[in-house]
Amino acid sequence: MKIGIIYWTGTGNTETMANAIAEGVKKVAEVEVKTVGATSPEKALEYDKLLLGCPAMGAEELEDAEFAPFYEAIKGKLKDKLVALFGPYDWGNGEWMEFWCADAEAAGIKLYDKGYIIQQDDLDDEIDNCINYGENFAKA
Ligand SMILES: Cc1cc2nc3c(=O)[nH]c(=O)nc-3n(C[C@H](O)[C@H](O)[C@H](O)COP(=O)(O)O)c2cc1C
């Protein structure tokens, strides 16, 4: 089984989450970690399971230049894969992830959970949880 982790990052927090999650996935499955700019919708659809990472941007939105178009291109084609959504945020309350999960479910995506979010100031303390999250997702 091959699991893909595809993310967008501006200042590195989503990347930190992605790499820690990958460490956990690696314990049980093959993993590839890519920024959204370094992959394509076609390649993303080749993974058996997908983890998608994007921080809260705009006003509780997905990053609109790269990540949102990528997600829109794949979201109707993910029905047979287990998908997990993750990302960091700062001043909000995680609403962007609620919107994102609702949108994914409306598109028929089978979500692993209601999204894994971390307030960016808590990131250092959450690394072990990211690793566990990746391992549990890979086993699911
Ligand atoms: C343009 C911009 C818009 C943002 N909008 C939100 C927001 O709506 N809600 C929120 O909680 N954080 C918001 N943030 C904070 C980011 O989600 C947070 O800094 C996150 O850790 C960035 O992740 P990254 O380091 O992977 O880029 C915004 C940051 C930027 C730069």
Side-chain angles (χ1 to χ4, degrees):
M1 192 201 332
K2 198 166 187 179
I3 296 180
I5 303 180
I6 299 172
Y7 67 95
W8 181 91
T9 193
T11 54
N13 296 325
T14 312
E15 183 161 64
T16 298
M17 283 185 80
N19 287 333
I21 291 169
E23 209 178 310
V25 172
K26 239 181 260 171
K27 293 182 183 182
V28 280
E30 199 180 339
V31 64
E32 262 179 22
V33 191
K34 301 271 185 198
T35 60
V36 75
T39 187
S40 66
E42 293 71 29
K43 283 185 204 152
L45 294 172
E46 289 172 8
Y47 298 110
D48 299 298
K49 295 186 195 176
L50 266 182
L51 285 137
L52 300 175
C54 183
M57 293 293 286
E60 300 299 328
E61 291 159 321
L62 295 174
E63 189 277 326
D64 65 356
E66 274 192 297
F67 191 86
F70 170 83
Y71 168 67
E72 290 298 325
I74 61 170
K75 81 173 184 187
K77 299 173 183 165
L78 294 173
K79 290 190 178 71
D80 57 342
K81 294 183 205 297
L82 187 63
V83 175
L85 310 178
F86 68 92
Y89 65 99
D90 188 2
W91 55 81
N93 58 6
E95 217 180 353
W96 105 103
M97 185 56 83
E98 290 174 27
F99 295 146
W100 190 8
C101 286
D103 183 83
E105 278 172 346
I109 296 174
K110 199 171 124 199
L111 288 181
Y112 172 62
D113 61 8
K114 290 290 180 189
Y116 182 23
I117 66 174
I118 298 178
Q119 206 288 332
Q120 63 177 21
D121 297 336
D122 298 333
L123 197 51
D124 288 349
D125 297 329
E126 282 280 334
I127 297 301
D128 285 348
N129 288 335
C130 287
I131 295 170
N132 290 336
Y133 186 85
E135 183 175 357
N136 290 332
F137 174 75
K139 285 178 180 166

